[in-house]
Amino acid sequence: MSVPSIDTVIATVDSLLEGALDDARMPAAVEQLRQLFDGSKACHASLGPGLSPADAVSTNSDEAMQRRCYTDLSDEFLRFGDALRAVPVGTVYRDGDLFGLEALRASRGWREWMAPQDMYGGIGCRLGESRTRQWFFDVQRGQRQEPFGPSEVALLQRLTPLLRRVSMLSREVGQLRLQRDEARSALDMVTLAIILVERDGRVVYVNRSADDLLSGPDGLLSLRLSRLVARHPGDQRDLKRLLEGAFGARDEFGGQRSSLILRSDREETQSLSICVVPASPRRADRPSPERLLIALKPLGQVDEIAASSRQLFHLTDCEARIASALAGGLSLAQAAALQGVRISTARTHLARIFQKTDTRQQSQLVALLQGAVPPLRGPL
């Protein structure tokens, strides 16, 4: 093999680091490695129980052939992993030396998978392990190519620390993505609308409840060009001051206002409570927040209050409607008129509601019911 130029090696290194941070770029990185070693095939993979296509990135891949790794040939590859465990982490090995060339060529894995893909001799390096799984890089030469020599082994040995770091980064990034996805799923289950805003005003995340709230045609807030915008100019000025004050605060908002209520002028639209808090703890070198977490809650969620009061306090349908009307801000007379009953009947219902909820005053009842709306949505 001719000695690769320093530019070619650096380009391969850059590609590998990009692949560690972005799965979509890893196939191109592995292909550059194959070209660097003039190989017939290259693979960056992990081995362990429960093999799946996500465990390997290979060049020159035939999909039907690749599927065999994880189905009828999986036992062969798990045995390969057992043999690989004998190789110290960070060490370069030759396939023939590791398994014995005759034993390797007699194996089903070589006859049915390696030989059909022109894999007649390879070198690899063991990159690490975690519990029952381990990572390695392997590059092969074809039947009509010269076997790998000392210079290729030396080059792979020089690259092994980098490949180990790439594997570690890939695992760490994968774990972070998993945690991110789990956090998003959890936030989507919360009935409270949650929004994450950058210092420049861009909205970078909304949970499912916030998306539902902001996408309504008559809502008090909406998203325009990734910015949070209030429907009324006066509300927009108040919202802007609220966010600017929160971003400029250096210690617990420094006495700045951290909440706001947008009042609705339409019966079909609920008023909206807005609360802002820093999205992450302050640091000595960054006393003011870089991002804000905004919590939105429609006020007087009558339907949800009625449903939760029936479930939690065993109220009848009529009692639940009276209770939810009171929790929504109506007086007892207004609640009676809304339900089409006499005020005396509404008082009877209210007495039973007090008994079932263990409250004595309307203010106590309203506070209890408004806090009883379940904080989690149903299954997504």
Side-chain angles (χ1 to χ4, degrees):
M1 180 182 102
S2 60
V3 178
S5 69
I6 187 66
D7 290 340
T8 302
V9 175
I10 290 174
T12 303
V13 169
D14 288 343
S15 183
L16 283 166
L17 292 173
E18 290 173 356
L21 301 176
D22 183 354
D23 291 343
R25 298 190 179 191
M26 185 57 85
V30 175
E31 171 59 19
Q32 282 191 245
L33 273 173
R34 183 190 70 80
Q35 294 179 16
L36 187 66
F37 285 91
D38 190 25
S40 63
K41 187 178 180 71
C43 180
H44 180 265
S46 67
L47 285 172
L51 290 173
S52 76
D55 292 327
V57 178
S58 300
T59 63
N60 305 340
S61 296
D62 178 280
E63 290 187 9
M65 189 68 73
Q66 287 300 103
R67 282 196 296 271
R68 299 199 64 196
C69 297
Y70 320 110
T71 54
D72 58 324
L73 291 176
S74 61
D75 288 344
E76 287 282 315
F77 285 96
L78 288 176
R79 280 194 289 272
F80 171 80
D82 290 339
L84 190 59
R85 256 177 229 290
V87 177
V89 171
T91 302
V92 172
Y93 60 87
R94 292 178 182 269
D95 291 349
D97 296 337
L98 180 61
F99 303 101
L101 188 57
E102 290 185 7
L104 177 63
R105 297 290 173 90
S107 70
R108 187 181 169 207
W110 188 85
R111 288 184 286 106
E112 299 182 25
W113 193 81
M114 295 177 71
Q117 298 185 85
D118 199 26
M119 299 166 65
Y120 276 80
I123 54 174
C125 50
R126 185 164 176 247
L127 304 176
E129 65 179 328
S130 174
R131 296 182 181 176
T132 59
R133 302 192 71 81
Q134 55 187 309
W135 285 260
F136 69 97
F137 169 74
D138 178 87
V139 61
Q140 295 284 328
R141 281 274 173 87
Q143 185 176 20
R144 298 186 179 182
Q145 291 180 288
E146 290 291 328
F148 287 112
S151 61
E152 288 93 349
V153 173
L155 176 59
L156 184 55
Q157 190 71 65
R158 294 288 298 273
L159 288 175
T160 295
L162 170 69
L163 289 167
R164 287 191 63 196
R165 184 58 182 156
V166 165
S167 292
M168 291 173 60
L169 283 174
S170 296
R171 296 200 297 276
E172 291 167 2
V173 170
Q175 290 170 355
L176 288 173
R177 288 193 184 114
L178 179 61
Q179 293 171 4
R180 176 202 63 191
D181 292 343
E182 290 176 342
R184 286 178 173 175
S185 296
L187 287 173
D188 279 340
M189 295 291 290
V190 176
T191 55
L192 194 66
I194 302 294
I195 299 173
L196 193 62
V197 179
E198 293 274 14
R199 179 174 284 277
D200 63 5
R202 288 184 305 111
V203 171
V204 293
Y205 171 76
V206 297
N207 71 346
R208 186 183 176 199
S209 295
D211 187 51
D212 292 345
L213 191 152
L214 297 175
S215 59
D218 300 317
L220 295 174
L221 286 177
S222 62
L223 281 180
R224 294 181 192 169
L225 301 176
S226 299
R227 259 67 175 180
L228 198 59
V229 178
R231 185 173 70 193
H232 300 301
D235 289 342
Q236 178 62 25
R237 288 192 293 270
D238 290 342
L239 177 64
K240 183 178 179 182
R241 282 196 291 267
L242 178 70
L243 298 182
E244 288 178 347
F247 274 119
R250 290 179 174 270
D251 54 345
E252 296 300 330
F253 291 124
Q256 294 283 339
R257 185 179 183 184
S258 60
S259 62
L260 174 67
I261 293 180
L262 303 185
R263 301 289 181 183
S264 174
D265 55 1
R266 302 180 184 180
E267 290 186 4
E268 66 274 15
T269 304
Q270 296 170 329
S271 296
L272 194 63
S273 170
I274 303 175
C275 180
V276 296
V277 294
S280 59
R282 279 176 294 276
R283 298 178 351 206
D285 61 335
R286 192 180 296 168
S288 57
E290 292 296 314
R291 290 182 176 182
L292 293 178
L293 198 66
I294 303 177
L296 307 176
K297 182 179 181 181
L299 300 179
Q301 298 167 305
V302 175
D303 292 339
E304 292 184 12
I305 290 173
S308 62
S309 61
R310 278 194 298 268
Q311 181 179 7
L312 295 174
F313 305 111
H314 306 290
L315 302 186
T316 66
D317 287 346
C318 189
E319 291 167 354
R321 289 194 295 270
I322 293 289
S324 61
L326 295 175
L330 300 183
S331 65
L332 184 61
Q334 290 171 321
L338 183 65
Q339 302 304 320
V341 299
R342 295 178 180 178
I343 185 67
S344 58
T345 302
R347 288 195 183 100
T348 300
H349 286 312
L350 181 60
R352 292 172 182 163
I353 294 168
F354 282 155
Q355 183 179 16
K356 292 180 179 180
T357 59
D358 195 24
T359 56
R360 296 182 180 182
Q361 299 177 344
Q362 277 187 223
S363 59
Q364 291 177 330
L365 174 65
V366 169
L368 176 65
L369 294 178
Q370 288 182 341
V373 176
L376 300 180
R377 306 171 69 113
L380 298 179

